[in-house]
Amino acid sequence: MRILGIDPGIAIVGFGLIESERGRDQMLRYGAINTPAGLPLAKRLLQIEQDMEQLLQLTKPDVMAVEELFFSNNITTGIAVAHGRGVILATAERMGVPLFEYTPMQVKQAVAGYGKADKRQVMDMTKRLLRLSDLPRPDDAADALAIALCHARCATSLLQRQNLAAKQTI
């Protein structure tokens, strides 16, 4: 299964594509979509949409995993990121890519084994699990790979829950 992990943002949208097969995960590609700071919000959102569409066409993922928003201090930045996240979700839906969402705690738990792991621990485990020689840069791309790994580790249980729910409605 090809999983595209997305770390949403407005200035930087991290992405990481992995192939997950029978518990073995391999990094295929990672990077970031960058929007210039001087652009008005609407133009940044349009660029994110266009770049996401191109990324989805290029990588052809089976599923996309996106981190849910968590912001504590700067509500203004959080709202702008939420706009970007909305564009990302809408683009995936429009292009027919199945979408899964994970909280930061779920990502940390799946990758590092501890839901309150710090960023460095998650990045180190991402590097180890994908057998990478260096930490991916920028950090947003490393985060996106961790999100993809989270889905790879959770997909079986999600599928089991969907199958169970389908059987209960019959």
Side-chain angles (χ1 to χ4, degrees), residues 57-74:
Q57 290 170 346
L58 178 69
T59 60
K60 297 180 179 23
D62 296 310
V63 298
M64 191 165 95
V66 180
E67 189 171 56
E68 290 185 4
L69 288 186
F70 173 80
F71 50 92
S72 55
N73 295 342
N74 192 340

Side-chain angles (χ1 to χ4, degrees), residues 79-140:
I79 290 171
V81 172
H83 288 310
R85 188 173 179 280
V87 166
I88 291 164
L89 298 177
T91 303
E93 182 66 26
R94 182 173 46 80
M95 296 192 65
V97 179
L99 188 60
F100 297 85
E101 299 175 64
Y102 298 96
T103 66
M105 188 174 277
Q106 287 173 307
V107 174
K108 292 173 183 182
Q109 177 68 41
V111 175
Y114 177 57
K116 294 184 180 179
D118 65 33
K119 187 172 188 73
R120 186 73 188 164
Q121 290 171 302
V122 174
M123 291 178 93
D124 184 55
M125 284 305 297
T126 298
K127 177 183 164 188
R128 289 175 187 219
L129 292 168
L130 293 172
R131 297 166 306 286
L132 304 173
S133 57
D134 296 311
L135 285 174
R137 295 284 179 225
D139 288 355
D140 307 84

Side-chain angles (χ1 to χ4, degrees), residues 34-79:
N34 296 288
T35 63
L39 281 182
L41 178 61
K43 290 189 182 202
R44 290 176 111 174
L45 295 173
L46 181 60
Q47 181 180 339
I48 290 169
E49 178 190 23
Q50 291 168 343
D51 289 353
M52 279 301 304
E53 183 174 333
Q54 186 177 13
L55 180 64
L56 291 170
Q57 290 170 346
L58 178 69
T59 60
K60 297 180 179 23
D62 296 310
V63 298
M64 191 165 95
V66 180
E67 189 171 56
E68 290 185 4
L69 288 186
F70 173 80
F71 50 92
S72 55
N73 295 342
N74 192 340
I75 191 81
T76 304
T77 301
I79 290 171

